[in-house]
Amino acid sequence: QVQLVESGGGLVQAGGSLRLSCAASRSIFRFNAVGWYRQAPGKQREAVATMTNDGTTTYADPVKGRFTISRDDAKNTVYLQMNSLKPEDTGVYYCNALVFSIHFWGQGTQVTVSS
């Protein structure tokens, strides 16, 4: 089993920054991919940023240039650096790991961006 625990969420004013962390219970080096998803009330969960094992990254259009996904294999941790935050970034952010064909999810961390 893969356990993922997110942290770093909170309340921030528009234009501010937050760094989310996702600690994995096992080495993430051999994960097929890791990523961050978010979900706002009344909306479906959407992918924000992903990274494959070889380091290839993808970003949702609304966050390109503002968010950066990274990983520290030694710490078994995935990060999401969020800069220039906007109110529309508000939501619960979930860490995801793809191992073979199985998706593992963290419990989520709340990010609230005020105007």
Side-chain angles (χ1 to χ4, degrees):
Q1 296 293 324
V2 176
Q3 302 293 325
L4 304 173
V5 180
E6 303 96 335
S7 63
L11 175 64
V12 64
Q13 292 185 340
S17 299
L18 286 173
R19 188 183 73 163
L20 306 183
S21 298
C22 171
S25 61
R26 60 179 293 172
S27 175
I28 62 175
F29 180 75
R30 296 188 181 276
F31 288 2
N32 297 105
V34 294
W36 288 93
Y37 293 69
R38 68 186 181 189
Q39 186 170 23
K43 298 182 179 180
Q44 295 184 355
R45 187 176 300 182
E46 62 179 354
V48 175
T50 63
M51 176 183 287
T52 58
N53 184 261
D54 65 0
T56 301
T57 59
T58 62
Y59 295 93
D61 286 339
V63 308
K64 288 182 178 178
R66 299 188 297 118
F67 291 12
T68 303
I69 185 172
S70 62
R71 60 191 292 171
D72 187 333
D73 293 335
K75 297 182 178 180
N76 293 337
T77 301
V78 182
Y79 302 97
L80 183 67
Q81 179 66 46
M82 305 185 294
N83 299 324
S84 301
L85 284 163
K86 304 175 180 179
E88 50 263 44
D89 294 319
T90 294
V92 179
Y93 283 68
Y94 298 90
C95 182
N96 170 266
L98 176 63
V99 183
F100 294 101
S101 62
I102 305 298
H103 284 274
F104 296 89
W105 298 92
Q107 64 184 25
T109 184
Q110 177 70 43
V111 172
T112 302
V113 184
S114 62
S115 300

